[in-house]
Amino acid sequence: MYKRNPLSAHQLKPLALLFAALTVSGSALAWQPERPVEFVVTSGAGGGTDTFARTVQSIIGKHKLMDKSIIVSNKGGGSGAEGYVYSASSQDDPYKLTFGTNNEYLLPEVGEMPYAADDLQPVAAMAMDEFLIWVNGDADYASAKDFIDAAKQNPGKMQFAGSQSKDTDQTLVSMIEEATGTDFRYVPFNGGSQALVQLAGGHVDANVNNPNENLGQWQAGMVKPLCVFSPEQLPKGEPVYQGKGWGDIPTCQSQGIDISEYRMPRTVWLPAGAHEEAVTYYQELLRKVSETPEWKDYTTRTVQTSRFLTGDELQQYIDDNAKSVKKVFEQEGWNAS
């Protein structure tokens, strides 16, 4: 019977070196950019999405997480549609990384867009922007319940200011009406900053701005938050006004408004057809960004909830979010079709 002689240490050494060489070679074949990457920003300069993208760019550069350079292009026309159309027209292109929100898949629901939601594929969600009910600093309301009770006594008279029409702010106001049996007058403005000016000046009764949009005026006592649309209270932090901080704001659900969560995800996309190796590369790149102290500083400063989602978990979030928002579109008759 034939017996195989075991290999000697001298014979094994060349095989070990060959295996190591093949392993290194295989790693080197993993996709990575060979030329500059374009960050397509679906907002104007200085907007929330612009700050999001440029923060990611800065962290990548500081920590040398990518060899190639990054070019930032602002294309915020049409509530961000300009950027999505621009990227969608470059199918298969792994060098156009698009920064946006849930408006990527919601805009085609309320208007005739020259792109479809599936013209882009999701790469990651990196943070959740919170929404609150804000009133004027001199308003008599001590709680969200007081505010809702006043609205019930004055149907159709109390005014909510918001950013744009048929967008995230008006959608939330419609959800508040449905959950509480109230009737508000929604007044659209060109951005959260204008909605804030109207509220601080006492020209409207409330807005649903993000924390960072209203921070300065809360510090000055010109506006005050009543509740936050989050499953849990925001993290404790430094006091903002009269000893109260973000962690002292109750959830809206605890105030009798049956909406457990309403958040806007900060999302990143690639054109449909970009190969899986590129998707994986950017997912790992963005994950590294989300683990840096600079990212923590950014989400803390802007009062966002850091939450990193990819793959099936991200797709499930998109499906659930789209379903709940589309229900409002149907009720209000906003659907494009």
Side-chain angles (χ1 to χ4, degrees):
M1 181 178 177
Y2 173 75
K3 291 184 178 180
R4 179 179 295 170
N5 293 325
L7 295 174
S8 67
H10 178 73
Q11 292 171 310
L12 284 171
K13 186 175 180 180
L15 292 175
L17 291 173
L18 176 61
F19 177 76
L22 289 172
T23 302
V24 172
S25 176
S27 299
L29 289 174
W31 187 88
Q32 53 185 307
E34 297 178 347
R35 55 185 172 86
V37 174
E38 183 176 11
F39 279 14
V40 181
V41 178
T42 58
S43 78
T49 302
D50 181 61
T51 303
F52 166 41
R54 291 181 190 275
T55 298
V56 172
Q57 177 196 29
S58 174
I59 292 171
I60 290 172
K62 180 176 181 178
H63 292 276
K64 297 179 171 58
L65 300 179
M66 187 170 71
D67 292 336
K68 300 302 178 181
S69 60
I70 295 167
I71 302 166
V72 178
S73 301
N74 289 92
K75 298 185 181 297
S79 298
E82 178 190 6
Y84 297 124
V85 171
Y86 172 74
S87 297
S89 65
S90 301
Q91 283 195 356
D92 307 339
D93 187 350
Y95 292 92
K96 282 184 169 58
L97 204 60
T98 304
F99 288 74
T101 65
N102 54 356
N103 62 358
E104 189 279 339
Y105 50 88
L106 296 180
L107 283 172
E109 294 293 328
V110 294
E112 294 293 337
M113 295 290 161
Y115 83 97
D118 58 8
D119 287 338
L120 295 164
Q121 58 180 314
V123 176
M126 297 187 68
M128 300 289 168
D129 222 346
E130 307 289 351
F131 286 79
L132 298 85
I133 292 179
W134 299 86
V135 295
N136 185 274
D138 293 329
D140 294 332
Y141 317 117
S143 67
K145 184 179 183 304
D146 292 344
F147 175 73
I148 294 300
D149 288 343
K152 289 180 177 178
Q153 294 171 13
N154 297 277
K157 295 182 180 180
M158 292 177 64
Q159 299 182 92
F160 252 111
S163 175
Q164 314 296 338
S165 61
K166 301 180 183 179
D167 207 338
T168 51
D169 288 3
Q170 189 172 9
T171 299
L172 177 53
V173 172
S174 296
M175 292 173 70
I176 295 170
E177 291 176 324
E178 177 70 17
T180 60
T182 49
D183 179 19
F184 292 101
R185 181 184 170 201
Y186 180 79
V187 185
F189 293 93
N190 189 26
S193 60
Q194 290 188 19
L196 170 59
V197 168
Q198 295 298 314
L199 178 59
H203 306 298
V204 296
D205 298 287
N207 70 31
V208 288
N209 274 5
N210 307 129
N212 195 49
E213 290 176 312
N214 282 15
L215 174 58
Q217 278 66 22
W218 185 22
Q219 290 172 327
M222 299 175 70
V223 300
K224 61 183 178 182
L226 297 182
C227 66
V228 58
F229 290 95
S230 175
E232 61 281 321
Q233 288 181 256
L234 299 175
K236 293 287 184 181
E238 295 295 320
V240 176
Y241 182 70
Q242 294 185 341
K244 292 186 177 181
W246 300 111
D248 298 306
I249 303 169
T251 66
C252 293
Q253 193 167 39
S254 73
Q255 296 288 296
I257 302 173
D258 192 19
I259 302 172
S260 62
E261 179 178 359
Y262 189 85
R263 290 165 159 169
M264 183 174 68
R266 295 289 178 190
T267 54
V268 184
W269 307 78
L270 276 172
H275 49 83
E276 191 60 36
E277 292 86 352
V279 175
T280 300
Y281 172 84
Y282 288 120
Q283 286 174 339
E284 290 309 308
L285 174 68
L286 297 172
R287 187 184 302 278
K288 291 175 183 176
V289 168
S290 73
E291 293 170 349
T292 63
E294 291 83 6
W295 181 257
K296 183 178 180 182
D297 289 344
Y298 160 72
T299 55
T300 300
R301 185 177 68 254
T302 56
V303 200
Q304 295 183 75
T305 300
S306 184
R307 186 179 176 190
F308 193 81
L309 302 175
T310 61
D312 291 343
E313 189 178 18
L314 174 56
Q315 190 59 56
Q316 187 62 57
Y317 176 87
I318 291 172
D319 292 344
D320 292 344
N321 182 240
K323 181 179 179 180
S324 65
V325 175
K326 286 178 184 178
K327 181 181 177 182
V328 177
F329 293 171
E330 291 171 359
Q331 291 172 343
E332 298 291 339
W334 297 345
N335 298 72
S337 57

